[in-house]
């Protein structure tokens, strides 16, 4: 972007899109907290605004949607509960059930599927239960065909403040987490490349990224809390979490710093 003001305007006018896409994705992937998706999407929106080139002729809304949905997909893959073996079992079981259903003209029972597969009924019941938990792909047209402008004024009112807190929260992350967040969401580097640079496994990078997102979520919850201090989502120790909040306060302006220090004193 040609100026910071233009970048900020793009972020402010499109942040409601993050909330919409987070809600839409959460409705199909309920095992991932909506707030965590919103935090991931907000980071993706900021990086989209940084990288956007209007001369390419692509509307920013469409460009941002792609970046946000891509960030959601990365987050969902990093939190995927199903191993390759489980997914294979799900696919085979569903295929047999569908074939029997087509032949019978009615939904096949778990017992009938188990008989056809030559496995115990409880294995089929478990596989079909797992199938109900699998995620709808983000490549579906319904995931992309979202209006560029969504009238959610109650969210837009806090856009600038949320962005400011988020920027301070990213800057205060522990060094390795901050490096990973910046590399993934700002520089768009592959996780494999980041892992090689840090000398750790792909899984370790994904775990650190997920923990960083939880810390960012806790920071936003702490700042915007009304009443009792919100429960922590992060897995770090309470002392490390409070030290993180202190770093945010130390690096932020008086308004943000005051909110974190007041909540810490409660």
């Amino acid at each position: 972007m040609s100026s910071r003001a233009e970048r900020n305007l793009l972020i402010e006018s499109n942040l409601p899109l993050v909330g919409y896409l987070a809600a839409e994705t959460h409705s199909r992937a309920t095992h991932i907290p909506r707030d965590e998706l919103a935090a991931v999407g907000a980071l993706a929106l900021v990086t989209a605004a940084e990288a956007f080139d209007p001369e390419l002729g692509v509307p920013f809304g469409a460009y941002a949607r792609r970046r946000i949905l891509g960030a959601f997909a990365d987050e969902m893959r990093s939190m995927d509960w199903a191993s390759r073996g489980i997914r294979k079992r799900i696919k085979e079981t569903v295929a047999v059930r569908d074939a029997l259903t087509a032949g019978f003209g009615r939904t096949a029972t778990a017992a009938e599927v188990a008989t056809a597969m030559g496995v115990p009924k409880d294995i089929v019941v478990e596989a079909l239960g797992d199938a109900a938990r699998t995620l709808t792909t983000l490549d579906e047209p319904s995931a992309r065909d979202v209006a560029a402008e969504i009238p959610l004024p109650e969210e837009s009112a806090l856009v600038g403040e949320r962005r400011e807190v988020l920027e301070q929260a990213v800057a205060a992350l522990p060094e390795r987490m901050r490096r990973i967040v910046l590399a993934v969401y700002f520089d768009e580097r592959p996780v494999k490349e980041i892992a090689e640079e840090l000398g750790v496994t792909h899984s370790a990078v994904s775990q650190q990224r997920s923990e960083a997102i939880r810390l960012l979520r806790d920071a936003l919850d702490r700042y915007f809390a009304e009443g009792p201090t919100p429960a922590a989502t992060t897995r770090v120790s309470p002392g490390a979490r409070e030290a993180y909040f202190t770093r945010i306060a130390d690096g932020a302006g008086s308004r943000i710093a005051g909110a974190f220090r007041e909540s810490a004193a409660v």
Side-chain angles (χ1 to χ4, degrees):
M1 297 301 297
S2 59
S3 71
R4 185 177 182 82
E6 290 177 342
R7 163 190 173 277
N8 290 348
L9 180 60
L10 283 180
I11 296 171
E12 292 173 8
S13 60
N14 285 274
L15 191 62
L17 180 62
V18 174
Y20 184 95
L21 292 177
E24 164 67 17
T25 303
H26 176 68
S27 69
R28 295 179 287 112
T30 55
H31 68 293
I32 303 180
R34 177 176 173 179
D35 288 350
E36 188 160 327
L37 288 170
V40 170
L43 284 173
L45 178 63
V46 172
T47 59
E50 292 280 5
F52 182 60
D53 183 358
E55 294 184 0
L56 295 178
V58 178
F60 179 72
Y63 176 71
R65 281 200 301 274
R66 180 181 295 273
R67 297 283 290 267
I68 293 167
L69 291 175
F72 286 171
D74 288 342
E75 184 69 12
M76 291 160 70
R77 280 192 292 268
S78 72
M79 299 179 66
D80 196 359
W81 54 270
S83 66
R84 185 174 298 179
I86 291 175
R87 290 199 176 279
K88 180 181 179 182
R89 185 185 66 193
I90 291 172
K91 183 177 181 180
E92 292 173 348
T93 304
V94 170
V96 172
R97 182 198 61 186
D98 290 348
L100 291 176
T101 295
F104 293 153
R106 59 170 175 78
T107 301
T109 66
E112 290 166 339
V113 175
T115 300
M117 296 182 69
V119 299
K121 178 182 175 181
D122 59 342
I123 291 181
V124 171
V125 171
E126 182 180 2
L128 293 177
D130 288 340
R133 295 174 58 199
T134 55
L135 308 180
T136 303
T137 173
L138 286 175
D139 292 331
E140 282 188 335
S142 62
R144 296 194 304 267
D145 297 339
V146 181
E149 295 182 3
I150 302 172
L152 297 175
E154 67 279 6
E155 293 185 14
S156 298
L158 296 175
V159 166
E161 190 173 9
R162 288 180 185 275
R163 188 183 68 252
E164 185 179 356
V165 174
L166 184 60
E167 289 175 350
Q168 294 296 332
V170 170
L173 285 169
E175 181 181 359
R176 175 163 289 190
M177 286 187 185
R178 184 175 65 253
R179 288 178 62 184
I180 290 173
V181 166
L182 293 176
V184 172
Y185 295 108
F186 288 74
D187 300 334
E188 296 188 295
R189 295 173 57 193
V191 172
K192 180 180 179 181
E193 179 181 306
I194 300 168
E196 291 176 351
E197 179 180 298
L198 297 176
V200 297
T201 64
H202 184 290
S203 176
V205 171
S206 295
Q207 290 172 2
Q208 287 279 296
R209 178 169 59 88
S210 295
E211 191 59 49
I213 293 300
R214 283 189 283 269
L215 278 171
L216 293 174
R217 175 187 174 190
D218 282 355
L220 291 172
D221 286 349
R222 171 72 70 99
Y223 181 79
F224 290 104
E226 296 181 359
T229 301
T233 62
T234 182
R235 297 170 184 170
V236 303
S237 68
R241 181 169 176 263
E242 292 304 320
Y244 170 59
F245 292 150
T246 297
R247 290 197 300 274
I248 295 176
D250 289 344
S254 59
R255 175 171 48 83
I256 294 177
F260 277 95
R261 292 190 174 114
E262 287 173 5
S263 58
V266 173

